[in-house]
Amino acid sequence: MSNAKKIVIADDEPDILEILEFNLSAEGYEVTTAKNGDEAIEKAKRTSPDLIILDIMMPGKTGIEVCNLLRMMPPFKDTLIIFLTAMSDESTEIKGLETGADDYLTKPISSKILLSKVNSLFRRLNKEESTIVKIGDIEIDREKYIVKKKGEDIILARKEFELLALLASKPGKVFLRNEILNQIWGTEVIVGDRTIDVHIRKIRQKLEMDCITTVKGVGYKFEL
Amino acid sequence: MSNAKKIVIADDEPDILEILEFNLSAEGYEVTTAKNGDEAIEKAKRTSPDLIILDIMMPGKTGIEVCNLLRMMPPFKDTLIIFLTAMSDESTEIKGLETGADDYLTKPISSKILLSKVNSLFRRLNKEESTIVKIGDIEIDREKYIVKKKGEDIILARKEFELLALLASKPGKVFLRNEILNQIWGTEVIVGDRTIDVHIRKIRQKLEMDCITTVKGVGYKFEL
DNA sequence: ACCCAATGTTATAGTATTATCAAATTGTTA
DNA sequence: TAACAATTTGATAATACTATAACATTGGGT
């Protein structure tokens, strides 16, 4: 899966770095580590991570300074940032949140809590972004009602779009004709047999690709 | 449109309820309180809050149970939920996060921390709503109710303005007719289908641009 | 290789949706 | 309250979408 979430962790304590990296990697995240603030910024620029975990107390730039710098750069305007802090000092916590961090964790860190928190943050983010589906050259945006192939817009009518979106929602899965009818036309409306075929044909025509496969006697599936 | 964020707080301790309500109200939030889980669900259904704060330990349903129930209801799929817990018990914290809560706070609660956290959570959500929106030649100022095209003022009537502002708030996104009706006219008022069309037409006329695209059978979107 | 059911193709007619205009209603301001 | 602007509605025209019929083709089973 190339869509593994990327995380950059910055902490000056090698032990912590290692523990966090181990745990997050085990969970399937793509982890990059940094020993200090500057390295964190540099790695962030290079890897475009989905989440940045910053220790507040670091030699050189503090996590808060790093966060401030990152927030000034457009690519990191909305990137998730979590602070790590040994202090249970309230004012620090607040400063952190108001700097634009999305959360903070207090050391000593329980890996279970960290993972929960990370997963939880991503869960929220995923919901917002699930409107866009990318499969190879094809990009389907449910919100914008747009289908793109290699960046070029392809105009689909409503039913065509819905049908494609349905099939593409689970690439590889074979959708039975009945399933498709229920999902797109609903149970009340009854349409003839050829209706689905015709829509499928139009999609194939417009996409100019063979990404919808017929499974005879069963249904259709979206692939490649 | 009163766009004050609404919050429902559930806790069985009246003191805490009062403190939280006081602080959050002072910050401009619209607070509703509930003494137990069932009441929380009921109030949530009635007020459609933006955030729900749940004490975990409550007589009757626990906060976790309430959260589970809420998450099953479509309207609350994405609502922010924060847990309040007296326990620093790690397993509880994790159970909370994995239930679908967005964060948790440990009692005793510092109101400053609470406010920071709440503000921080909403900040992320609010990014979309900056008062001035610029898209190409067009500039929309929600506060001053002014639209400019290449620096020149364009005078739009209120509904026209609101409609344009709505569409432009998420360029590219297709707004369903129902969505538009709910956002601009509200659920109580019922207007005919032609109303939207006519307003769209006037906006197009006054802007002298083709920036509003019709997606037949779906809705309208603002582009370019 | 043949058959037959399932699917592909095409053109077309019917339908639903939207654009446009004018007129009616409501709201606002002097 | 008159005058004017804003909003809504209804009728009608223009348009795009969809379903279907009729026919062609395919491919698996025997």
Side-chain angles (χ1 to χ4, degrees):
Chain A
M1 234 192 273
S2 67
N3 58 350
K5 296 288 179 189
K6 284 173 285 183
I7 302 179
V8 167
I9 314 176
D11 198 314
D12 56 316
E13 294 168 72
D15 292 343
I16 293 196
L17 223 45
E18 196 182 346
I19 294 175
L20 296 184
E21 181 179 12
F22 174 78
N23 281 292
L24 290 169
S25 299
E27 194 82 353
Y29 294 108
E30 212 173 300
V31 181
T32 310
T33 60
K35 287 184 294 296
N36 55 59
D38 290 313
E39 203 182 323
I41 293 176
E42 196 238 329
K43 297 264 170 87
K45 278 190 201 163
R46 247 218 314 276
T47 65
S48 300
D50 303 285
L51 167 67
I52 301 170
I53 302 178
L54 297 171
D55 186 27
I56 290 196
M57 291 306 282
M58 288 190 292
K61 293 191 178 63
T62 69
I64 295 179
E65 291 173 294
V66 173
C67 177
N68 278 325
L69 288 169
L70 288 171
R71 283 287 188 239
M72 283 182 214
M73 312 177 197
F76 302 110
K77 272 268 158 50
D78 295 310
T79 308
L80 291 170
I81 296 183
I82 293 183
F83 280 145
L84 249 41
T85 169
M87 301 172 285
S88 56
D89 178 1
E90 187 179 293
S91 62
T92 303
E93 284 170 352
I94 289 179
K95 212 191 277 179
L97 285 171
E98 282 180 354
T99 303
D102 296 282
D103 214 325
Y104 65 88
L105 287 169
T106 317
K107 294 184 187 179
I109 300 156
S110 145
S111 5
K112 278 207 284 181
I113 288 196
L114 171 72
L115 287 177
S116 291
K117 209 141 217 174
V118 170
N119 288 330
S120 167
L121 281 174
F122 277 136
R123 173 150 28 91
R124 169 154 297 277
L125 213 60
N126 272 334
K127 284 214 183 102
E128 294 165 6
E129 290 173 8
S130 62
T131 50
I132 302 175
V133 185
K134 269 191 187 182
I135 302 147
D137 294 339
I138 307 288
E139 191 181 321
I140 300 171
D141 190 327
R142 283 176 184 283
E143 199 175 74
K144 298 187 176 175
Y145 247 89
I146 274 179
V147 177
K148 286 187 181 184
K149 179 189 163 190
K150 295 178 186 169
E152 280 175 76
D153 281 21
I154 291 176
I155 296 165
L156 296 185
R158 186 169 123 213
K159 284 273 188 297
E160 293 161 16
F161 182 88
E162 285 174 2
L163 180 47
L164 176 60
L166 174 65
L167 295 180
S169 69
K170 293 197 175 189
K173 171 185 161 137
V174 178
F175 286 84
L176 313 181
R177 290 177 99 89
N178 277 333
E179 229 173 326
I180 295 173
L181 287 175
N182 283 329
Q183 291 285 326
I184 296 188
W185 279 268
T187 40
E188 308 102 38
V189 192
I190 296 169
V191 292
D193 269 359
R194 299 280 62 72
T195 302
I196 292 181
D197 307 354
V198 173
H199 284 291
I200 292 280
R201 180 179 179 281
K202 285 194 180 151
I203 295 172
R204 284 174 171 154
Q205 235 179 358
K206 290 185 179 175
L207 286 187
E208 295 172 318
M209 288 177 80
D210 229 18
C211 50
I212 297 180
T213 312
T214 307
V215 182
K216 198 155 180 167
V218 189
Y220 296 92
K221 68 177 165 177
F222 184 93
E223 263 184 330
L224 251 172
Chain B
M1 232 198 272
S2 100
N3 54 353
K5 296 289 181 189
K6 281 171 287 181
I7 302 179
V8 167
I9 313 175
D11 198 313
D12 55 319
E13 298 172 66
D15 292 347
I16 294 194
L17 223 45
E18 194 181 331
I19 294 175
L20 296 183
E21 182 178 12
F22 175 78
N23 281 292
L24 291 168
S25 299
E27 195 80 356
Y29 294 107
E30 211 173 302
V31 181
T32 310
T33 60
K35 286 183 295 296
N36 55 58
D38 289 312
E39 205 182 321
I41 293 177
E42 197 238 329
K43 296 267 170 84
K45 278 192 201 161
R46 246 216 315 275
T47 66
S48 302
D50 304 284
L51 167 67
I52 301 170
I53 302 177
L54 296 171
D55 187 23
I56 292 199
M57 291 305 282
M58 287 190 290
K61 292 192 180 61
T62 69
I64 296 180
E65 290 173 293
V66 173
C67 178
N68 277 327
L69 288 170
L70 287 172
R71 284 290 189 237
M72 282 181 215
M73 312 176 195
F76 303 108
K77 274 267 157 52
D78 293 307
T79 307
L80 291 169
I81 296 183
I82 293 184
F83 278 145
L84 249 42
T85 167
M87 300 171 284
S88 55
D89 179 1
E90 186 181 309
S91 62
T92 303
E93 285 170 352
I94 289 179
K95 213 191 273 175
L97 285 172
E98 281 179 354
T99 304
D102 298 282
D103 212 326
Y104 64 88
L105 287 169
T106 319
K107 293 186 190 179
I109 302 157
S110 145
S111 9
K112 279 207 283 181
I113 290 197
L114 170 72
L115 286 178
S116 289
K117 208 142 220 173
V118 169
N119 288 330
S120 168
L121 282 174
F122 278 135
R123 175 147 28 91
R124 167 155 298 275
L125 234 52
N126 270 336
K127 289 248 168 72
E128 314 141 16
E129 297 171 10
S130 70
T131 49
I132 299 176
V133 187
K134 270 191 187 181
I135 302 145
D137 294 339
I138 307 288
E139 191 182 321
I140 299 171
D141 189 329
R142 284 174 185 285
E143 237 168 50
K144 300 183 179 167
Y145 261 66
I146 281 176
V147 177
K148 288 186 181 184
K149 179 189 164 191
K150 295 179 186 170
E152 282 173 73
D153 280 21
I154 290 177
I155 296 165
L156 295 184
R158 177 140 56 261
K159 288 273 191 264
E160 292 162 16
F161 181 87
E162 283 176 7
L163 180 47
L164 176 61
L166 175 64
L167 295 180
S169 70
K170 285 201 171 191
K173 175 192 153 117
V174 176
F175 288 83
L176 313 181
R177 289 177 102 89
N178 280 333
E179 231 171 324
I180 295 173
L181 287 176
N182 283 329
Q183 292 284 325
I184 296 188
W185 280 269
T187 40
E188 310 100 36
V189 193
I190 297 169
V191 291
D193 269 357
R194 290 311 110 236
T195 302
I196 294 180
D197 307 0
V198 172
H199 285 291
I200 291 281
R201 179 173 177 282
K202 287 194 178 153
I203 295 172
R204 284 175 172 153
Q205 252 178 349
K206 290 186 178 175
L207 287 187
E208 295 173 318
M209 288 177 77
D210 227 20
C211 50
I212 297 180
T213 311
T214 308
V215 183
K216 201 154 182 169
V218 189
Y220 294 92
K221 67 177 163 178
F222 183 93
E223 262 185 331
L224 248 172

mmCIF file of all heavy atoms in Angstrom, chain B residues 1 14 41 60 73 80 98 111 117 137 142 178 196 217:
data_model
loop_
_atom_site.group_PDB
_atom_site.id
_atom_site.type_symbol
_atom_site.label_atom_id
_atom_site.label_comp_id
_atom_site.label_asym_id
_atom_site.label_seq_id
_atom_site.Cartn_x
_atom_site.Cartn_y
_atom_site.Cartn_z
ATOM 1 N N MET B 1 -28.233 34.063 10.528
ATOM 2 C CA MET B 1 -27.525 32.803 10.844
ATOM 3 C C MET B 1 -26.680 32.985 12.102
ATOM 4 O O MET B 1 -25.682 33.685 12.086
ATOM 5 C CB MET B 1 -26.611 32.427 9.687
ATOM 6 C CG MET B 1 -26.815 31.006 9.200
ATOM 7 S SD MET B 1 -25.392 30.502 8.245
ATOM 8 C CE MET B 1 -25.906 31.092 6.635
ATOM 9 N N PRO B 14 -23.192 18.267 39.404
ATOM 10 C CA PRO B 14 -23.727 19.598 39.071
ATOM 11 C C PRO B 14 -22.646 20.677 39.104
ATOM 12 O O PRO B 14 -22.675 21.590 38.279
ATOM 13 C CB PRO B 14 -24.773 19.845 40.156
ATOM 14 C CG PRO B 14 -25.133 18.495 40.646
ATOM 15 C CD PRO B 14 -23.922 17.651 40.517
ATOM 16 N N ILE B 41 -27.999 12.310 25.055
ATOM 17 C CA ILE B 41 -28.414 11.873 23.710
ATOM 18 C C ILE B 41 -29.617 12.678 23.252
ATOM 19 O O ILE B 41 -29.686 13.161 22.122
ATOM 20 C CB ILE B 41 -28.750 10.367 23.712
ATOM 21 C CG1 ILE B 41 -27.464 9.560 23.972
ATOM 22 C CG2 ILE B 41 -29.378 9.952 22.400
ATOM 23 C CD1 ILE B 41 -27.679 8.079 24.067
ATOM 24 N N GLY B 60 -26.310 5.176 35.198
ATOM 25 C CA GLY B 60 -27.005 4.785 33.972
ATOM 26 C C GLY B 60 -25.957 4.508 32.911
ATOM 27 O O GLY B 60 -24.993 3.796 33.158
ATOM 28 N N MET B 73 -25.497 6.910 15.012
ATOM 29 C CA MET B 73 -26.490 7.747 14.332
ATOM 30 C C MET B 73 -25.781 8.630 13.311
ATOM 31 O O MET B 73 -24.838 9.335 13.652
ATOM 32 C CB MET B 73 -27.213 8.642 15.326
ATOM 33 C CG MET B 73 -27.700 7.891 16.567
ATOM 34 S SD MET B 73 -28.450 9.020 17.755
ATOM 35 C CE MET B 73 -28.502 7.987 19.221
ATOM 36 N N LEU B 80 -17.672 16.212 17.000
ATOM 37 C CA LEU B 80 -16.561 16.112 17.927
ATOM 38 C C LEU B 80 -17.069 15.598 19.269
ATOM 39 O O LEU B 80 -18.091 16.058 19.765
ATOM 40 C CB LEU B 80 -15.911 17.476 18.109
ATOM 41 C CG LEU B 80 -15.163 18.036 16.903
ATOM 42 C CD1 LEU B 80 -14.800 19.490 17.134
ATOM 43 C CD2 LEU B 80 -13.911 17.220 16.642
ATOM 44 N N GLU B 98 -10.730 4.749 21.164
ATOM 45 C CA GLU B 98 -11.086 3.789 20.128
ATOM 46 C C GLU B 98 -12.582 3.699 19.912
ATOM 47 O O GLU B 98 -13.040 3.156 18.929
ATOM 48 C CB GLU B 98 -10.494 2.424 20.453
ATOM 49 C CG GLU B 98 -9.023 2.404 20.078
ATOM 50 C CD GLU B 98 -8.344 1.097 20.395
ATOM 51 O OE1 GLU B 98 -8.982 0.232 21.013
ATOM 52 O OE2 GLU B 98 -7.180 0.964 20.037
ATOM 53 N N SER B 111 -9.844 24.836 33.589
ATOM 54 C CA SER B 111 -10.713 25.427 32.564
ATOM 55 C C SER B 111 -9.884 26.008 31.429
ATOM 56 O O SER B 111 -10.313 26.018 30.285
ATOM 57 C CB SER B 111 -11.616 26.504 33.162
ATOM 58 O OG SER B 111 -11.272 26.806 34.476
ATOM 59 N N LYS B 117 -8.234 23.378 24.469
ATOM 60 C CA LYS B 117 -8.499 22.180 23.701
ATOM 61 C C LYS B 117 -9.717 22.368 22.804
ATOM 62 O O LYS B 117 -9.706 22.012 21.625
ATOM 63 C CB LYS B 117 -8.721 21.008 24.651
ATOM 64 C CG LYS B 117 -8.333 19.695 24.044
ATOM 65 C CD LYS B 117 -7.686 18.784 25.054
ATOM 66 C CE LYS B 117 -6.511 18.030 24.473
ATOM 67 N NZ LYS B 117 -5.779 17.264 25.489
ATOM 68 N N ASP B 137 -10.327 36.379 -10.013
ATOM 69 C CA ASP B 137 -10.659 37.806 -10.039
ATOM 70 C C ASP B 137 -11.633 38.184 -8.936
ATOM 71 O O ASP B 137 -11.796 39.341 -8.593
ATOM 72 C CB ASP B 137 -11.349 38.167 -11.372
ATOM 73 C CG ASP B 137 -10.383 38.001 -12.529
ATOM 74 O OD1 ASP B 137 -9.172 38.022 -12.268
ATOM 75 O OD2 ASP B 137 -10.852 37.854 -13.657
ATOM 76 N N ARG B 142 -17.336 38.348 3.450
ATOM 77 C CA ARG B 142 -18.545 37.973 4.182
ATOM 78 C C ARG B 142 -18.942 39.018 5.206
ATOM 79 O O ARG B 142 -20.105 39.187 5.512
ATOM 80 C CB ARG B 142 -18.314 36.673 4.936
ATOM 81 C CG ARG B 142 -18.344 35.462 4.098
ATOM 82 C CD ARG B 142 -17.949 34.268 4.956
ATOM 83 N NE ARG B 142 -17.858 33.075 4.141
ATOM 84 C CZ ARG B 142 -18.926 32.435 3.696
ATOM 85 N NH1 ARG B 142 -20.134 32.854 4.010
ATOM 86 N NH2 ARG B 142 -18.785 31.375 2.951
ATOM 87 N N ASN B 178 -30.814 20.620 -2.134
ATOM 88 C CA ASN B 178 -31.262 20.544 -0.746
ATOM 89 C C ASN B 178 -30.266 21.204 0.199
ATOM 90 O O ASN B 178 -30.654 21.881 1.141
ATOM 91 C CB ASN B 178 -31.434 19.082 -0.324
ATOM 92 C CG ASN B 178 -32.737 18.529 -0.813
ATOM 93 O OD1 ASN B 178 -33.692 19.288 -0.998
ATOM 94 N ND2 ASN B 178 -32.780 17.246 -1.047
ATOM 95 N N ILE B 196 -34.021 28.998 -6.656
ATOM 96 C CA ILE B 196 -32.569 28.868 -6.742
ATOM 97 C C ILE B 196 -32.088 29.242 -8.137
ATOM 98 O O ILE B 196 -31.170 30.044 -8.301
ATOM 99 C CB ILE B 196 -32.130 27.431 -6.397
ATOM 100 C CG1 ILE B 196 -32.425 27.129 -4.934
ATOM 101 C CG2 ILE B 196 -30.645 27.265 -6.677
ATOM 102 C CD1 ILE B 196 -32.018 25.754 -4.518
ATOM 103 N N GLY B 217 -29.171 17.440 -12.362
ATOM 104 C CA GLY B 217 -29.643 16.356 -11.502
ATOM 105 C C GLY B 217 -28.937 16.323 -10.170
ATOM 106 O O GLY B 217 -29.244 15.517 -9.311
#
